[in-house]
Amino acid sequence: MGVTNLPGGPPGLDSEPARPVIEADGLHKTFGTIRAVDGIDLSLTGGRIYGLLGPNGSGKTTLIRLLAGLARPSSGSISVLGTAMPSRPLLAKIGYMTQGEGLYAELSVWENLSFFAAMSGQRDPDALREILDIVELGDRRTAPVVELSGGMRRRLSLACALVHRPPVIFLDEPTVGVDPVLRYQFWDHFRGLAAAGATLLVSSHVMDEADRCDQLILIRAGRVLDMGTSDEVRRRAGTPDLESAFLKLSGIPGMDGSR
Amino acid sequence: MSFLRVGAIARRIAQQFRRDRRSLALLIVAPLAVLALLGYVIRDTKPLDTRLGIVNLAGPPGAAAASAVQVAAKLQGIPVVDVGTDEADARVAIRQDRADLVIVLPPEFTSSSRVVELITLGEAPTDDGARIQAVVGLVSQVGGQGSRPTIQRQTVYGSASATVLDTFAPALIGFFGFFFVFVLTGISFLRERIGGTLERLLATPVRRSEIVIGYSLGFGFFATVQVALILVFALGSINVPAIGPFGSFEIGLGIANAGSPVLAYLVIFLTAIGAVNLAIFLSTFASTELQIIEFIPLVIVPQGLLGGVFWSVHSLPDPLQAVARLLPLTYAIDGLRAVLIRASDLSSSDLQLDLAFLAGVAILFVLLAGATIRREIA
Ligand SMILES: Nc1ncnc2c1ncn2[C@@H]1O[C@H](COP(=O)(O)OP(=O)(O)OP(=O)(O)O)[C@@H](O)[C@H]1O
Ligand SMILES: [Mg+2]
């Protein structure tokens, strides 16, 4: 899959400095002795795709859960669209695709989708059909989830997160197990959502996906290692590709991009 | 409160049941099967050893009747024991396990107005019932022809009611109303927690109250269908005529019911709401389906033992009575007995207490359940 370098930046907001859609200030989250999030500040602007990269256990899911209002920070503050989180009503404007499956196995594709649509306040059946076509499950709408392949479940899970057309979107490893063709289409769709003004925070372990983000946030052990465009990150690390930049920033010796 | 969301949750539970026919069958067929089995077994129980005592308080007409019974008892091989000459002695004899059943011919007994008292221990309704079945034939011997004598049942412990099944059926209805809904909700909600759907659900603007009410409605509906069928089965009776090699038989137990089925329904509905929310609450403390099953000995069995299914609450030792008075099933069973046996209506203070307690428990568990569904799940 080729790397498309799309220009970043929010459309139509160039007159005044855009107010950040997501702001986090001194975020900490500890589980017992584990510091899952250990002092993170963020300021994410609308109309952009942010890539959240980091090794297993680095705190990506925890950070997203904090931002989505599903967990309370041990300290620090979060505001989304100008509202302090956690805020229940604001959840109508947030789409969260969990890392785990989170679907009702015995229910059909359509039943799952309409259930989560109802929960998010989406009443328009056209919206359901549209998102189902985007994830290419239109012809499987009556199939129970147990009969879907792993990748299809991921696709349905994505559809459930986007069905209410939220302006703020958190996707926790959305493309795991999704085939390359569909993955490519997903990213085109994400790009379309961003172009329409949505803010996306997408965690991933796939480096070519990272290249399609406007901004990257590299975290490790709950701290931000670096933040910037793919080019900036590589330049600062002095490495030819992201993967080695990441390894170098992680402080792994002998991994300075000379591969 | 969004009815859209509450409705969607309730509907989703129905959809899941539709896909999981086996659980649905469990919910409906199992209680009917158990009730039917129990009903038919109780009715056809073989007579137990019955040591019969006879007390005559009615002078000469009673003496004649007493000897008639004695002769009939000998013919049927029922041993007759000496239990003294008044009712108090007879009760002592039963309590001390020297006799199982005493026939008392009370002072008002005459050959034209035949009233007979039967005293049993009242501890195990099944045993009492079987013994009474065994001596009913004898009792009709008292004093020749004419209408059957009036039988007044008394027990040393507890209270006697018309038949064993009558006391059992309401207890079982209450028990099933609680049991199945508890287990199914517990497992269903646990799966929400561990399967990630609760996390997803909480990422939407749903209110905790909407989840709890949606669940209560969804499972309440099935509990309701279940109980409706049980009530019809227990109270109704259809005779199926003999076909070919099969003899005629009855479908349904045809239990005489005194009160309003609607009130019985209300009792069971409140019980089910409590069970649903207790299960949601307890599912926090389980991490596998197996651990939900492990709650059965903790939650279900004590209620089954103390709640009045087998022994009436009054007959329990004092400390256990105190425990029993804290258990929802105690009130559910008492409420159902009040309605179905004692024909109580809403003006009865017993039934008012039962309903109030069950409603209070339901509210308490709703609050507890709501408290465990926090957006911060770990
Ligand atoms: N509920 C929890 N209770 C205890 N510890 C937790 C909990 N959730 C996360 N952690 C810990 O916090 C740390 C960060 O976990 P997190 O799930 O955020 O990592 P991640 O970056 O999403 O990893 P992955 O790439 O594997 O998804 C880990 O050490 C994890 O064990
Ligand atoms: Mg994760």
Side-chain angles (χ1 to χ4, degrees), chain B residues 128-329:
Chain B
D128 285 1
R131 291 190 171 113
I132 286 164
Q133 294 274 312
V135 299
V136 158
L138 298 183
V139 172
S140 59
Q141 304 288 321
V142 285
Q145 286 87 30
S147 57
R148 288 165 59 112
T150 313
I151 295 175
Q152 293 176 343
R153 275 199 54 194
Q154 293 191 2
T155 49
V156 174
Y157 297 118
S159 64
S161 45
T163 80
V164 176
L165 202 53
D166 288 350
T167 40
F168 251 126
L172 287 176
I173 292 168
F175 186 76
F176 290 132
F178 194 95
F179 179 85
F180 287 100
V181 173
F182 175 82
V183 172
L184 291 174
T185 310
I187 289 179
S188 162
F189 210 82
L190 178 83
R191 285 170 61 202
E192 297 255 21
R193 285 186 199 277
I194 61 182
T197 48
L198 185 63
E199 167 100 344
R200 238 220 152 107
L201 205 54
L202 293 177
T204 72
V206 72
R207 286 185 173 86
R208 283 186 275 167
S209 57
E210 289 163 349
I211 298 180
V212 168
I213 293 173
Y215 254 78
S216 300
L217 287 183
F219 280 100
F221 171 75
F222 283 97
T224 299
V225 171
Q226 179 200 38
V227 169
L229 282 172
I230 297 177
L231 279 177
V232 166
F233 181 80
L235 305 181
S237 170
I238 303 167
N239 187 272
V240 179
I243 307 167
F246 303 104
S248 74
F249 62 95
E250 304 257 307
I251 293 182
L253 299 175
I255 293 167
N257 69 305
S260 136
V262 176
L263 274 181
Y265 200 80
L266 178 64
V267 171
I268 209 68
F269 184 75
L270 288 174
T271 310
I273 300 289
V276 167
N277 289 286
L278 177 65
I280 291 179
F281 171 67
L282 286 179
S283 74
T284 329
F285 305 104
S287 46
T288 66
E289 272 101 334
L290 207 62
Q291 289 178 339
I292 292 286
I293 302 299
E294 287 161 8
F295 280 126
I296 292 177
L298 279 173
V299 174
I300 306 287
V301 172
Q303 299 206 83
L305 292 180
L306 301 179
V309 179
F310 301 105
W311 304 280
S312 87
V313 173
H314 316 279
S315 70
L316 295 171
D318 286 345
L320 289 182
Q321 268 198 44
V323 175
R325 301 219 179 275
L326 296 174
L327 303 175
L329 196 61

Side-chain angles (χ1 to χ4, degrees), chain A residues 188-199:
Chain A
D188 277 349
H189 183 61
F190 298 162
R191 180 50 65 198
L193 293 171
T199 312

